[in-house]
Amino acid sequence: GAVVSQHPSWVICKSGTSVKIECRSLDFQATTMFWYRQFPKQSLMLMATSNEGSKATYEQGVEKDKFLINHASLTLSTLTVTSAHPEDSSFYICSAPGLAGFGEQFFGPGTRLTVL
Amino acid sequence: SQQGEEDPQALSIQEGENATMNCSYKTSINNLQWYRQNSGRGLVHLILIRSNEREKHSGRLRVTLDTSKKSSSLLITASRAADTASYFCATDEGHDMRFGAGTRLTVKP
């Protein structure tokens, strides 16, 4: 099956710094990727839809200037958490759709962000 | 925003028993999917059921869909300790996907 990777798997940073998280589709191309965040013992909340070659679409309540998304190629999307604060600490997961028409999503293993 | 709601929120059973989780959703869907998540890990796709299907099987998994009630159930038969995880239903909105709150299943050996 299709594989999606994320890097790093975990990161600890100081408050005020920026952190970049990469999401790669390893054996398929993805014109669209999705970014989710998940707080402990809670569900996944869609943050934004990353579109190759165009601007990302953000969900209501998600600050686009804080969570910068760049979909530079058909296999790579990046999420940059700018000026991170402790409340940004969360589990960030990306996904990419499978074959068109099947509806399946392939998820990355997630990135645990801890902001001190 | 979330689409589906699972119940129960948590379920604890003995190995060998069956586990049933339910999911309700609000809008029309093209398909509904169930995913599994081990603690602190990514999601693993379990099964997809289309809106024109009523039941689907995959190994020890059985999923039903009732579009008139906007609900789905996931049955895991003959559970194993390794089935301990959180289970989420997800509904599609085009290419977009919305997740329910999840059911945390604990299978005791």
Side-chain angles (χ1 to χ4, degrees):
Chain A
V3 177
V4 175
S5 71
Q6 276 184 247
H7 177 80
S9 55
W10 61 268
V11 57
I12 301 173
C13 70
K14 292 182 179 180
S15 187
T17 60
S18 295
V19 174
K20 180 185 284 189
I21 302 170
E22 293 186 347
C23 176
R24 291 181 186 274
S25 56
L26 295 186
D27 50 1
F28 67 106
Q29 294 182 334
T31 56
T32 301
M33 290 183 176
F34 301 99
W35 287 96
Y36 298 84
R37 70 187 294 181
Q38 183 181 34
F39 292 107
K41 297 185 180 179
Q42 293 190 27
S43 187
L44 281 74
M45 299 299 293
L46 180 66
M47 297 175 65
T49 303
S50 173
N51 304 297
E52 189 271 334
S54 64
K55 292 183 179 180
T57 305
Y58 291 81
E59 294 299 301
Q60 193 171 7
V62 177
E63 298 176 59
K64 59 181 67 176
D65 293 331
K66 181 168 187 62
F67 299 99
L68 300 179
I69 291 174
N70 183 16
H71 199 138
S73 73
L74 288 172
T75 60
L76 173 65
S77 174
T78 60
L79 168 68
T80 301
V81 183
T82 62
S83 187
H85 290 282
E87 57 265 31
D88 298 324
S89 298
S90 188
F91 194 55
Y92 292 87
I93 304 176
C94 68
S95 74
L99 293 172
F102 283 82
E104 185 178 352
Q105 294 272 346
F106 297 99
F107 284 83
T111 297
R112 171 76 58 193
L113 170 64
T114 301
V115 184
L116 302 177
Chain B
S1 60
Q2 286 181 230
Q3 161 79 302
E5 294 182 5
E6 278 97 335
D7 92 273
Q9 291 186 341
L11 179 61
S12 182
I13 60 175
Q14 292 295 135
E15 205 164 29
E17 294 180 341
N18 295 341
T20 300
M21 290 159 266
N22 303 297
C23 166
S24 60
Y25 56 93
K26 298 172 184 173
T27 63
S28 298
I29 60 171
N30 295 315
N31 61 65
L32 184 144
Q33 303 180 53
W34 284 91
Y35 287 84
R36 165 198 168 122
Q37 184 182 34
N38 287 76
S39 181
R41 308 289 290 274
L43 273 72
V44 174
H45 182 263
L46 295 177
I47 198 164
L48 179 153
I49 186 165
R50 300 198 182 284
S51 60
N52 61 354
E53 297 176 311
R54 291 297 167 257
E55 187 171 313
K56 205 162 183 179
H57 297 255
S58 177
R60 293 185 295 115
L61 305 180
R62 172 178 168 252
V63 168
T64 62
L65 178 64
D66 187 334
T67 53
S68 66
K69 296 180 180 178
K70 291 187 167 60
S71 67
S72 174
S73 68
L74 170 68
L75 168 67
I76 303 174
T77 61
S79 65
R80 306 166 182 168
D83 294 329
T84 295
S86 290
Y87 292 82
F88 296 92
C89 70
T91 53
D92 70 310
E93 293 182 19
H95 256 318
D96 199 336
M97 184 177 290
R98 307 286 168 155
F99 285 84
T103 293
R104 281 184 286 117
L105 173 66
T106 302
V107 181
K108 300 175 183 176

